Amino acid sequence: GAGVSQSPSNKVTEKGKDVELRCDPISGHTALYWYRQSLGQGLEFLIYFQGNSAPDKSGLPSDRFSAERTGGSVSTLTIQRTQQEDSAVYLCASSFGTSGRGTQYFGPGTRLLVL
Amino acid sequence: KNEVEQSPQNLTAQEGEFITINCSYSVGISALHWLQQHPGGGIVSLFMLSSGKKKHGRLIATINIQEKHSSLHITASHPRDSAVYICAVSENSNYQLIWGAGTKLIIKP
């Protein structure tokens, strides 16, 4: 079966514009995560969805960041009024169950460059 | 002090050498993950461990729960093994992963 897919693979935008990043998790995976990896840095947790429960948004760096997951499947991460410091690779992962009980499968990431 | 520490930060070795990357953690965990990230590429989960040892091809991962330590070994290393290897743990009471800083491995032909 298909793995986790993300689109676009690369996105270049101008400062101040809004961007939408998409994640298609593995079918049947109830947990979905968004992470960010800035150049030379480790992975930073952004947001976590588990089934129909309210998402954990504790990792979102500012109110310019939001995410939704429709129908318990596809997720969209939206960054409003992008800033240069938002430039990073945005990674999505999905797993069956919670992270402590299931391997997280990562998508290829979206490389975002804000000029 | 970081809750997950990896060593070494950087490792350069010759093709064929036996490689060991270490991970120590300070919190109670339900699982430990080893992941691989190739330059410019995505992240691939290699192992998820809660006890003992797992083997996949030339990769071996071990964990000692009492000592809060895990090792990732690569036998007969090859240039294509060059990547960043990341250790991450799931805390007992928290689904979020706590990430190590990664070990950058370069295997020279």
Side-chain angles (χ1 to χ4, degrees):
Chain A
V4 178
S5 61
Q6 291 185 244
S7 61
S9 53
N10 292 281
K11 177 72 176 178
V12 180
T13 190
E14 293 179 349
K15 178 181 172 181
K17 296 283 180 69
D18 297 352
V19 295
E20 280 191 356
L21 313 179
R22 177 187 167 106
C23 172
D24 282 90
I26 292 173
S27 178
H29 280 190
T30 55
L32 186 147
Y33 308 78
W34 282 98
Y35 298 93
R36 177 171 72 172
Q37 187 176 33
S38 302
L39 187 65
Q41 303 296 313
L43 283 145
E44 175 187 5
F45 166 79
L46 297 177
I47 189 168
Y48 163 72
F49 295 90
Q50 174 61 265
N52 295 321
S53 303
D56 178 351
K57 305 179 181 180
S58 60
L60 295 178
S62 78
D63 58 9
R64 296 186 295 105
F65 288 72
S66 63
E68 61 178 23
R69 189 178 184 193
T70 54
S73 181
V74 172
S75 177
T76 302
L77 176 69
T78 301
I79 309 173
Q80 296 177 308
R81 304 181 303 281
T82 52
Q83 303 294 313
Q84 289 182 331
E85 61 262 27
D86 299 335
S87 297
V89 175
Y90 289 82
L91 290 157
C92 173
S94 71
S95 72
F96 185 73
T98 61
S99 66
R101 295 163 181 82
T103 299
Q104 289 190 29
Y105 295 85
F106 285 82
T110 293
R111 281 169 183 74
L112 174 66
L113 177 61
V114 181
L115 300 176
Chain B
K1 187 178 187 301
N2 294 332
E3 292 167 308
V4 179
E5 293 197 340
Q6 287 185 237
S7 62
Q9 285 186 313
N10 295 280
L11 178 57
T12 301
Q14 290 296 130
E15 182 174 357
E17 286 189 36
F18 182 81
I19 302 299
T20 296
I21 299 171
N22 296 299
C23 176
S24 296
Y25 54 92
S26 58
V27 297
I29 69 169
S30 56
L32 182 142
H33 306 255
W34 281 102
L35 307 107
Q36 179 192 55
Q37 185 174 32
H38 280 279
I43 292 178
V44 175
S45 293
L46 299 175
F47 297 103
M48 185 182 72
L49 295 163
S50 54
S51 66
K53 175 180 175 179
K54 287 190 176 180
K55 184 176 188 294
H56 186 258
R58 294 180 294 105
L59 300 176
I60 304 166
T62 63
I63 188 169
N64 184 316
I65 298 294
Q66 287 73 30
E67 295 184 3
K68 296 189 173 180
H69 180 269
S70 175
S71 293
L72 176 69
H73 304 286
I74 306 175
T75 62
S77 60
H78 190 276
R80 64 174 174 266
D81 297 327
S82 298
V84 174
Y85 292 84
I86 305 169
C87 170
V89 301
S90 305
E91 277 192 275
N92 281 330
S93 59
N94 192 337
Y95 51 79
Q96 292 186 25
L97 291 179
I98 305 173
W99 301 85
T103 295
K104 184 175 181 181
L105 174 66
I106 298 173
I107 303 296
K108 294 184 175 181

